Amino acid sequence: DAGVIQSPRHEVTEMGQEVTLRCKPISGHNSLFWYRQTMMRGLELLIYFNNNVPIDDSGMPEDRFSAKMPNASFSTLKIQPSEPRDSAVYFCASSLVGMGVYEQYFGPGTRLTVT
Amino acid sequence: AQTVTQSQPEMSVQEAETVTLSCTYDTSESNYYLFWYKQPPSRQMILVIRQEAYKQQNATENRFSVNFQKAAKSFSLKISDSQLGDTAMYFCAFRGSNYKLTFGKGTLLTVNP
């Protein structure tokens, strides 16, 4: 089992630049989640996809953030333009909704630093 | 909205001893799921144990067990025979009908040799 794959693992960028984070969910899972983890706010859900369709994006902080899931095996989270307050660890998680408990399996995260 | 509270920011335990991490939650839903996740220094989020609210029996996974008190909305994690590899941040999480995971702030557990 490959697990959830995220890239890059680390990203350092300058304020104003565009940042794209990538995620490959576990094969066969039908739901994908993007989370952000910071010391101040802990773990927050940004957006949730089910069958490639965004279901809940109420956690997306502002219009600078956008997420897409063009197919069942790939998702991106884009920040444009990036700001220092976007510095955080971004996690992608996937789940098989409709088959029981629906536990979520997390990727290794992307540590984003915006200078 | 659901809330999850972990009242112990940090805890420590001696190797081979038992430790209990506390978690309380607030919800108006009757059917939900509770989870404990472990985050070691590698920052990988690892599922430790889960509990379905409709089950009265407490979940157990090897050295990890929970004490689920539905009426009190309490969901504590007991780690028996603590090992150095158990050193990590532990997060309690709630999932209701909307599939969202709501996390507590976490408890940093240090296992001392």
Side-chain angles (χ1 to χ4, degrees):
Chain A
D1 259 349
V4 176
I5 299 172
Q6 290 187 248
S7 64
R9 293 295 306 277
H10 304 273
E11 178 78 32
V12 180
T13 191
E14 292 184 347
M15 182 174 61
Q17 297 298 307
E18 177 180 294
V19 175
T20 300
L21 310 182
R22 297 173 176 78
C23 175
K24 176 179 171 56
I26 293 172
S27 177
H29 282 188
N30 59 7
S31 294
L32 184 139
F33 306 80
W34 281 101
Y35 291 89
R36 179 172 67 175
Q37 184 178 35
T38 62
M39 289 295 293
M40 291 296 294
R41 300 174 66 90
L43 274 154
E44 305 172 280
L45 177 67
L46 298 177
I47 188 169
Y48 156 49
F49 291 89
N50 182 254
N51 292 323
N52 312 338
V53 176
I55 303 299
D56 183 353
D57 65 355
S58 59
M60 296 287 264
E62 49 198 277
D63 291 346
R64 297 185 297 106
F65 286 70
S66 63
K68 294 182 179 179
M69 192 165 186
N71 57 61
S73 58
F74 184 66
S75 176
T76 60
L77 177 67
K78 185 177 293 186
I79 308 172
Q80 165 64 17
S82 57
E83 297 182 3
R85 61 193 169 116
D86 301 330
S87 296
V89 179
Y90 291 81
F91 286 100
C92 175
S94 71
S95 178
L96 182 57
V97 172
M99 296 292 292
V101 181
Y102 321 143
E103 54 253 43
Q104 296 178 19
Y105 295 90
F106 284 73
T110 295
R111 180 177 292 280
L112 174 65
T113 302
V114 183
T115 60
Chain B
Q2 290 84 9
T3 59
V4 178
T5 302
Q6 293 180 247
S7 58
Q8 305 150 315
E10 294 187 37
M11 293 191 72
S12 63
V13 65
Q14 292 299 119
E15 198 174 4
E17 294 188 345
T18 295
V19 64
T20 299
L21 310 183
S22 302
C23 172
T24 59
Y25 58 94
D26 189 25
T27 184
S28 58
E29 298 189 44
S30 57
N31 191 24
Y32 51 86
Y33 303 91
L34 296 162
F35 305 88
W36 280 97
Y37 280 87
K38 167 185 176 181
Q39 187 177 38
S42 68
R43 80 168 179 254
Q44 175 78 50
M45 293 287 288
I46 302 165
L47 178 64
V48 175
I49 198 166
R50 69 170 192 246
Q51 175 78 44
E52 296 92 325
Y54 63 85
K55 289 187 177 180
Q56 291 186 340
Q57 186 173 6
N58 289 322
T60 299
E61 289 286 343
N62 300 314
R63 298 183 294 107
F64 299 87
S65 61
V66 299
N67 183 3
F68 174 49
Q69 302 290 327
K70 191 172 184 178
K73 295 180 180 175
S74 171
F75 182 61
S76 61
L77 174 70
K78 186 172 82 171
I79 306 174
S80 304
D81 186 25
S82 298
Q83 301 176 359
L84 296 178
D86 295 333
T87 292
M89 184 74 84
Y90 287 81
F91 293 95
C92 177
F94 172 100
R95 190 195 78 77
S97 58
N98 62 4
Y99 307 122
K100 289 173 64 170
L101 274 179
T102 301
F103 287 90
K105 294 295 186 185
T107 296
L108 179 60
L109 175 67
T110 302
V111 180
N112 299 309

